[in-house]
Amino acid sequence: SPVVVRGLTGPDRAVLYAVAAGSGFRAQELASLTPAAFAPAATPPTVSLAAEHAKNGVAAVQPLPPDVARAVGEDLRGRRADGPGWPGAW
């Protein structure tokens, strides 16, 4: 969709939803992710959640489906490694 909703473009929302479904992370956990949390070229591709952002207080490394990892790699390319994965107030 060309519509920007809560600071997210349609393609950004699609990748965010895919990461949510692929990782099982909750909204606040997803909001804490930075591009540096993703390892899309790893075998298997992963996303890491720091303990301070996890609901249970334990760090987590979740595997990502290859198609989600490719989409994340493309979507986050060019963003600051320590910046937000997805901007906005979603």
Side-chain angles (χ1 to χ4, degrees):
S1 168
V3 178
V4 175
V5 178
R6 295 185 180 220
L8 295 173
T9 65
D12 284 340
R13 289 192 310 274
V15 173
L16 176 59
Y17 299 156
V19 171
S23 69
F25 291 154
R26 295 167 174 86
Q28 282 201 268
E29 294 169 334
L30 292 164
S32 74
L33 297 176
T34 65
F38 292 91
T43 304
T46 61
V47 58
S48 300
L49 179 67
E52 62 266 18
H53 298 296
K55 182 178 177 183
N56 64 2
V58 177
V61 177
Q62 292 292 106
L64 290 174
D67 58 331
V68 173
R70 276 190 300 279
V72 165
E74 292 170 11
D75 191 54
L76 299 181
R77 186 174 293 123
R79 295 190 193 179
R80 287 185 35 201
D82 62 345
W86 295 277
W90 47 273

